[in-house]
């Protein structure tokens, strides 16, 4: 089992749709979680940190479920500009696990 | 702030040649990370520094790879000798103080092709 697994995608949805991604992680002691987005041939950029209480930023909502060891990202009212690859990140650096693992990414394509 | 700066943006070299990639982190950031991204393996951490000191280099693939950080504003990743399987995009990232798990800011990357 991979340490971090994401929905394989690609997701192809119409503009205005709601889309959700999940990401599972294997290390139950993991503490820090993020969603990054990466546009084609560009660097990853932070989209959101993921907190135990969940967090929302405009059309984006991230949630953490420790019991089931997954994080999720919900995008409401999707825009053409949301088309990108979304990377789930579990950062255990500084702990005994001492790893930062990037998921393989989920490709999202928003069509007009 | 200009963000993380990397150079060169593109590098094409022949097998056996030495390659040096450069990175300037965001001013005031204490952590610097080097990553490699390929289609097959995704994004992998190679090494990271805290206050110019290498903390974890377990991701460095082999002895052909070395990294240095002579001061707070400059780091290099060197491959000697280079091989075709080293072809990838190499990213440098930096993060602020306090916790190594803080948000990382990535540079634009260096696209390396080894022929």
């Amino acid at each position: 089992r991979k340490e971090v697994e994401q929905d394989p995608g690609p997701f192809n949805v119409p503009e205005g749709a709601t889309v959700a991604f999940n990401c599972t992680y294997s290390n139950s002691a993991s503490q820090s979680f993020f969603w990054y987005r990466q546009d084609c041939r560009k660097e990853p950029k932070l989209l959101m940190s993921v907190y135990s209480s969940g967090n929302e930023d405009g059309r984006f909502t991230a949630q953490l479920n420790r019991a089931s060891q997954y994080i999720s990202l919900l995008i409401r009212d999707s825009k053409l500009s949301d088309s990108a690859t979304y990377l789930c990140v579990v950062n255990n650096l500084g702990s005994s696990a001492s790893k930062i693992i990037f998921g393989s990414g989920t490709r999202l394509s928003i069509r007009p | 702030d200009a963000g993380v700066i990397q150079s060169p943006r593109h590098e094409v070299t022949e097998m056996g040649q030495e390659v040096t990639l450069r990175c300037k982190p965001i001013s005031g950031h204490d952590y610097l990370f080097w990553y490699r991204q390929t289609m097959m393996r995704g994004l992998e951490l190679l090494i990271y520094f805290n206050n110019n000191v290498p903390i974890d280099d377990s991701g460095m693939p082999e002895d052909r790879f070395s990294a240095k950080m002579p001061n707070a504003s400059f780091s290099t990743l060197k491959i000697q000798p280079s091989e075709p399987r080293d072809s990838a995009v190499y990213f440098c990232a930096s993060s602020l103080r306090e916790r190594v798990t803080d948000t990382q800011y990535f540079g634009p990357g260096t696209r390396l092709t080894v022929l």
Side-chain angles (χ1 to χ4, degrees):
Chain A
R1 181 186 175 188
K2 288 185 179 179
E3 292 179 271
V4 173
E5 291 198 76
Q6 290 189 242
D7 288 348
F11 286 66
N12 188 327
V13 301
E15 195 173 7
T18 295
V19 61
F21 308 139
N22 282 333
C23 169
T24 59
Y25 60 94
S26 61
N27 185 346
S28 60
S30 298
Q31 294 294 322
S32 296
F33 308 89
F34 303 88
W35 284 103
Y36 277 73
R37 70 170 278 167
Q38 186 172 23
D39 294 296
C40 187
R41 300 179 77 84
K42 298 287 189 179
E43 72 273 22
K45 291 185 178 179
L46 178 71
L47 179 66
M48 301 179 76
S49 301
V50 187
Y51 305 119
S52 296
S53 55
N55 49 312
E56 186 173 316
D57 183 2
R59 299 180 294 107
F60 298 83
T61 301
Q63 292 192 317
L64 167 64
N65 184 317
R66 287 194 181 276
S68 301
Q69 294 180 212
Y70 75 85
I71 66 174
S72 63
L73 178 67
L74 182 76
I75 306 175
R76 291 180 297 277
D77 188 24
S78 54
K79 311 292 185 189
L80 295 175
S81 59
D82 294 334
S83 298
T85 296
Y86 291 82
L87 305 172
C88 163
V89 183
V90 178
N91 190 341
N92 293 326
L93 292 174
S95 70
S96 58
S98 194
K99 287 183 179 180
I100 180 168
I101 308 294
F102 283 75
S104 55
T106 299
R107 282 187 61 189
L108 174 64
S109 179
I110 307 298
R111 62 179 187 270
Chain B
D1 199 310
V4 176
I5 299 173
Q6 291 188 246
S7 65
R9 296 292 305 276
H10 301 273
E11 178 81 27
V12 180
T13 190
E14 293 187 344
M15 183 173 65
Q17 296 298 306
E18 178 179 296
V19 174
T20 299
L21 311 181
R22 298 173 176 80
C23 175
K24 176 178 167 54
I26 294 172
S27 177
H29 281 196
D30 290 342
Y31 288 95
L32 184 140
F33 306 82
W34 281 102
Y35 290 90
R36 178 173 67 177
Q37 187 174 37
T38 62
M39 288 294 292
M40 290 296 295
R41 300 175 67 90
L43 199 58
E44 301 174 290
L45 177 64
L46 301 177
I47 184 172
Y48 77 94
F49 296 82
N50 180 23
N51 291 322
N52 315 336
V53 176
I55 302 301
D56 187 345
D57 66 354
S58 59
M60 296 286 261
E62 42 194 279
D63 292 345
R64 298 184 297 106
F65 286 69
S66 63
K68 294 182 179 179
M69 192 167 185
N71 57 62
S73 59
F74 183 65
S75 178
T76 59
L77 178 68
K78 186 176 294 186
I79 309 172
Q80 166 64 17
S82 57
E83 297 183 2
R85 60 191 168 121
D86 302 330
S87 298
V89 180
Y90 291 82
F91 290 105
C92 175
S94 68
S95 66
L96 200 50
R97 59 204 186 283
E98 294 175 4
R99 296 188 312 160
V100 70
T101 53
D102 277 348
T103 300
Q104 296 183 20
Y105 298 87
F106 284 75
T110 296
R111 188 171 295 272
L112 173 65
T113 302
V114 183
L115 303 174

